[in-house]
Amino acid sequence: MNIHPTAVVSVKAKLHESVIVGPFSVIEDGVIIGAGTTVATHVRISGPCKIGENNIIDSFAALGGAPQDLGYTGEPTELILGNNNHIREYASIHRGTVKGGGRTVIGNNCLIMAYAHIGHDCIIEDYVIIVNAAHLSGHTEVGARATVGGLTGTHQFSRIGTFAFIGGGSAVSKDVPPYAMVTGERGQMHISGLNKVGLRRNGFSREIISRIDAAYRILFHSPELLHNEALDRVEHELGGCEEVDGLLAFIRSSKRGVVKRIKRR
């Protein structure tokens, strides 16, 4: 194990022998760190916190801190970080609350850029990118391979669907449907298109992209249809496709409502 002599590592922390800990970092009680993970200089990791393998945690990041919730009274909730993630400088990720399920969870292969904040009880799936200074409020859920633009903020309990792309400086107060490109201020969020570039880069076939696009046209470009009528029409005409079925399930399960407004050119 390569621990710099100026680092402070609790005897109640469990680090794999291959873990590297840089100068002046602090690793507290209840922290578990897996093989191949590198902790840079001046990092603070508080427990309970489970960190997987081959992560890179850059300088001045703060992981596992107590949730910013007035109802939190010191319960042993936790932060769980998967494998192959890169947490950049000054990022902060808080552990969960009892009322939120007790866990904040970050998946695998995520990039959390500098000064980003992930609040208590957030669920971040695999291959997510959180860009510089984006702030996710408590209980936010982000689907796999979504991108949250810089300086974006989310309302508590917001959901961001898989492959969604949120433009920088946005204020998310409603759920962002899968595959959408959205941007806008609070109450003025709008869909600017389908994230076709992201879909193509990740191997979606032309047929699948075409079906998703057709579903979007019915759902968001058919003002003559009521909400449930549009959902039923998509299910009838395009159902049986995993991606379309997932889109429908996301919208139907929304409690905050989804972004629907289309940017007019």
Side-chain angles (χ1 to χ4, degrees):
M1 195 179 305
N2 186 354
I3 300 177
H4 193 274
T6 62
V8 179
V9 179
S10 169
V11 296
K12 296 182 180 179
K14 297 180 180 179
L15 279 60
H16 188 273
E17 61 183 9
S18 61
V19 170
I20 298 172
V21 181
F24 303 105
S25 286
V26 177
I27 299 177
E28 300 178 357
D29 295 356
V31 174
I32 300 172
I33 303 180
T37 290
T38 298
V39 179
T41 179
H42 291 92
V43 173
R44 179 180 178 182
I45 305 178
S46 305
C49 177
K50 298 177 183 176
I51 295 175
E53 300 180 354
N54 301 314
N55 295 285
I56 300 174
I57 303 171
D58 276 325
S59 300
F60 298 96
L63 275 59
Q68 297 178 134
D69 186 305
L70 293 176
Y72 178 74
T73 57
E75 299 87 354
T77 56
E78 63 182 339
L79 165 65
I80 298 175
L81 182 70
N83 304 320
N84 305 306
N85 298 291
H86 196 166
I87 313 299
R88 294 303 302 259
E89 300 84 356
Y90 293 95
S92 59
I93 308 174
H94 290 171
R95 60 182 183 268
T97 62
V98 171
K99 64 184 178 182
R103 302 191 305 170
T104 300
V105 181
I106 313 295
N108 305 309
N109 301 289
C110 295
L111 173 58
I112 313 299
M113 294 190 189
Y115 293 93
H117 172 69
I118 298 175
H120 59 84
D121 304 295
C122 288
I123 306 295
I124 311 297
E125 296 184 2
D126 298 345
Y127 292 98
V128 167
I129 298 174
I130 310 295
V131 183
N132 298 359
H135 292 171
L136 306 187
S137 294
H139 311 277
T140 297
E141 298 180 13
V142 184
R145 296 186 184 274
T147 298
V148 180
L151 297 170
T152 290
T154 69
H155 194 284
Q156 287 189 328
F157 296 98
S158 296
R159 297 188 305 156
I160 298 168
T162 183
F163 287 99
F165 189 101
I166 301 176
S170 297
V172 178
S173 57
K174 292 186 176 182
D175 292 347
V176 177
Y179 317 117
M181 297 179 65
V182 303
T183 190
E185 300 176 359
R186 181 178 175 86
Q188 299 295 320
M189 292 287 292
H190 58 260
I191 296 174
S192 56
L194 189 66
N195 186 15
K196 293 182 180 179
V197 173
L199 296 179
R200 286 195 293 266
R201 286 176 176 173
N202 284 277
F204 282 67
S205 67
R206 290 184 179 180
E207 178 184 358
I208 294 299
I209 294 174
S210 178
R211 290 178 74 88
I212 297 172
D213 189 43
Y216 260 69
R217 291 181 182 279
I218 295 171
L219 291 169
F220 305 118
H221 292 269
S222 301
E224 74 279 5
L225 296 176
L226 298 176
H227 176 76
N228 287 333
E229 291 175 340
L231 291 170
D232 290 343
R233 179 175 169 183
V234 170
E235 183 174 25
H236 176 72
E237 296 183 6
L238 300 165
C241 166
E242 178 181 353
E243 290 77 12
V244 172
D245 290 346
L247 172 63
L248 293 174
F250 182 95
I251 295 173
R252 283 173 168 155
S253 63
S254 176
K255 296 179 180 179
R256 298 192 57 80
V258 299
V259 176
K260 290 184 178 180
R261 183 170 172 263
I262 303 296
K263 183 177 181 180
R264 302 301 178 186
R265 302 191 180 205

